[in-house]
Amino acid sequence: MIPKDPVMLLSYVNTQLRDFYGSLEALCEDKGLDREELMEKLASIEYEYDEERNQFI
């Protein structure tokens, strides 16, 4: 289950990206997540995806 709280979601997503996925697209595809919805939730706490780092910063 994916956390609903944006701060917990940030931690979860960045950990998943670091440990298991080479891109946000791969994570979203594997977990069945809507990429735009995920990005909007994390943008609400002022985090954006950085492709070079493969994490939200």
Side-chain angles (χ1 to χ4, degrees):
M1 187 162 176
I2 305 299
K4 297 200 184 290
D5 176 74
V7 175
M8 296 299 292
L9 180 62
L10 171 66
S11 177
Y12 173 80
V13 168
N14 274 343
T15 299
Q16 291 293 304
L17 289 169
R18 182 191 69 216
D19 294 347
F20 304 109
Y21 298 97
S23 69
L24 180 59
E25 291 75 21
L27 169 68
C28 289
E29 183 177 319
D30 189 53
K31 299 285 186 184
L33 302 174
D34 181 296
R35 184 178 191 272
E36 292 304 315
E37 184 179 320
L38 178 63
M39 292 182 72
E40 286 176 16
K41 281 186 182 180
L42 295 179
S44 75
I45 57 169
E46 300 182 15
Y47 280 82
E48 293 185 9
Y49 182 63
D50 182 317
E51 284 189 48
E52 283 186 30
R53 293 182 179 185
N54 191 36
Q55 67 181 16
F56 282 86
I57 57 171

